[in-house]
Amino acid sequence: MELESLYDLLQLPKGVEPPAEEMLSQGGKKRYLPPTSRKDPKFEELQKVLMEWINTTLLPEHIVVRSLEEDMFDGLILHHLFQRLAALKLEAEDIALTAASQKHKLTVVLEAVNRSLQLEERQAKWSVETIFNKDLLSTLHLLVALAKRFQPNLSLPTNVQVEVITIESTKSGLKSEKSVEQLTEYSTDKDQPPKDVFDELFKLAPEKVNAVKEAIVNFVNQKLDRLGLSVQNLDTQFADGVILLLLIGQLEGFFLHLKEFYLTPSSPAEMLHNVTLALELLKDEGLLSCPVSPEDIVNKDAKSTLRVLYGLFCKHAQKAHRDSTPRGAPN
């Protein structure tokens, strides 16, 4: 790879040299965080939260961390942090001055951490080498794992991910590769499924379930009357998918050829085919507010059946109400 392209790839400022081939042994790899990744607000927020957590935990010992990249590599702070979190004493020297003794201390601490987290060395996203070499990503992975294990209520920013550039020394020269590193879980309020009205109804107001069923059955029978059909039992009569398909066709203006579904299904597989087709039609029309399993409908699950019919009811009952309201009349 040309030197100029390495500058562009790593977005290195002037005066900072990109890695030379002789700095990496053949087959060796090194990860770099470009400035855009380092300046990502969520990435900076994660470091801030973790530093505040460490400093609060180690306040009685008068230890202050100012940089996760520079202060964690020698095992000293990790030693104190883990002992306090796990409430145990590690057989490691308190002060390690030489690189060899620091590395030994770090090895003892990380072995104890991995045992506590029930991780094998190959499963961990950190190692003695990466931590000792001040690999910020490995340090963050380690601290996030410790926080989740010993301080699960710590409010870490969610879905923190950064672009990473890996440089590898090969026979033909330096090879670069971009990837995305996920540091915290992808979980935000907007990613959570919306609250289902029928979960709440069945849980908090079961006495009202029959009233809701009756209203929906009346609506369905009004629409099916012109086909000479009627529903008496909402829980059971939609299980084979036939009435559901005919109702959708009637309301949404679909013409379903008899070759597309089973008018008189004689097996669970044929019933499942019908219900699956019906759910696909509803999904295409945007009438499924919550995921519904076709197996649940076939198995006569009342809550799932209500979910399916409720979308049709809301759309077409409201439409009929609007059409029947004189213009200019107040709502």
Side-chain angles (χ1 to χ4, degrees):
M1 176 177 288
E2 297 294 332
L3 196 61
E4 178 113 5
S5 61
L6 267 180
Y7 271 109
D8 294 338
L9 183 65
L10 297 176
Q11 304 171 44
L12 292 170
K14 291 181 179 179
V16 178
E17 290 293 323
E21 290 186 44
E22 56 268 21
M23 292 174 64
L24 286 174
S25 58
Q26 190 166 319
K29 293 184 179 182
K30 188 168 179 62
R31 294 191 299 181
Y32 293 87
L33 279 169
T36 51
S37 293
R38 288 183 176 273
K39 293 176 182 177
D40 181 275
K42 294 186 78 172
F43 185 66
E44 292 180 333
E45 176 67 14
L46 176 63
Q47 293 177 76
K48 180 183 175 183
V49 171
L50 288 170
M51 276 195 288
E52 289 176 352
W53 170 60
I54 293 170
N55 289 336
T56 301
T57 304
L58 296 181
L59 185 63
E61 300 184 41
H62 308 289
I63 293 174
V64 178
V65 173
R66 293 183 172 85
S67 167
L68 297 180
E69 205 162 10
E70 297 296 331
D71 294 347
M72 308 297 294
F73 79 98
D74 61 2
L76 175 64
I77 292 174
L78 281 174
H79 182 193
H80 286 270
L81 178 65
F82 182 70
Q83 284 193 145
R84 186 162 286 275
L85 292 174
L88 53 78
K89 178 75 174 173
L90 292 181
E91 294 299 324
E93 54 188 316
D94 286 334
I95 304 297
L97 298 177
T98 66
S101 60
Q102 288 171 346
K103 215 166 186 179
H104 174 72
K105 179 187 183 73
L106 184 60
T107 300
V108 172
V109 174
L110 290 185
E111 285 177 351
V113 168
N114 291 348
R115 283 196 301 272
S116 177
L117 297 175
Q118 299 182 340
L119 286 175
E120 294 181 17
E121 187 177 348
R122 58 185 175 80
Q123 295 175 305
K125 295 180 180 179
W126 54 84
S127 67
V128 173
E129 290 300 323
T130 58
I131 300 294
F132 192 73
N133 289 326
K134 303 180 182 180
D135 184 309
L136 180 56
L137 293 173
S138 293
T139 303
L140 289 172
H141 278 303
L142 171 60
L143 294 174
V144 168
L146 285 171
K148 288 173 66 177
R149 168 67 175 82
F150 294 103
Q151 190 86 41
N153 61 338
L154 183 65
S155 183
L156 296 174
T158 59
N159 191 30
V160 179
Q161 53 182 350
V162 290
E163 185 179 79
V164 183
I165 297 165
T166 303
I167 306 296
E168 180 181 6
S169 177
T170 67
K171 289 181 180 179
S172 57
L174 293 178
K175 177 184 174 184
S176 67
E177 183 176 277
K178 286 185 178 181
S179 61
V180 174
E181 190 94 2
Q182 190 81 29
L183 291 162
T184 61
E185 295 175 356
Y186 190 81
S187 175
T188 62
D189 290 341
K190 67 180 181 181
D191 298 322
Q192 301 302 318
K195 288 186 178 179
D196 179 22
V197 64
F198 290 105
D199 283 334
E200 299 296 315
L201 182 67
F202 275 71
K203 181 180 178 181
L204 302 177
E207 72 282 357
K208 296 182 180 179
V209 171
N210 286 334
V212 173
K213 286 183 179 180
E214 185 178 345
I216 291 180
V217 166
N218 287 337
F219 160 75
V220 168
N221 284 336
Q222 287 175 14
K223 304 305 175 183
L224 292 179
D225 183 59
R226 68 191 72 176
L227 297 179
L229 298 172
S230 66
V231 171
Q232 281 78 44
N233 191 323
L234 182 144
D235 294 352
T236 61
Q237 285 185 261
F238 289 92
D240 62 7
V242 175
I243 291 180
L244 182 57
L245 282 169
L246 295 174
L247 177 65
I248 293 170
Q250 186 74 14
L251 292 172
E252 297 294 316
F254 291 134
F255 172 74
L256 294 172
H257 198 282
L258 291 177
K259 290 182 179 179
E260 295 184 43
F261 69 103
Y262 297 94
L263 189 58
T264 55
S266 58
S267 69
E270 292 179 354
M271 295 164 67
L272 190 62
H273 169 88
N274 285 353
V275 174
T276 301
L277 174 60
L279 294 182
E280 288 173 355
L281 293 173
L282 291 172
K283 188 176 180 181
D284 290 343
E285 294 299 308
L287 295 174
L288 276 183
S289 58
C290 292
V292 175
S293 167
E295 287 83 358
D296 289 341
I297 304 293
V298 173
N299 291 328
K300 303 175 184 177
D301 179 74
K303 197 188 298 183
S304 297
T305 304
L306 279 172
R307 284 192 185 104
V308 170
L309 295 173
Y310 185 67
L312 287 166
F313 175 78
C314 286
K315 176 180 177 180
H316 292 280
Q318 289 174 4
K319 181 176 181 297
H321 175 72
R322 287 195 303 269
D323 291 346
S324 63
T325 302
R327 290 186 181 181
N331 290 330

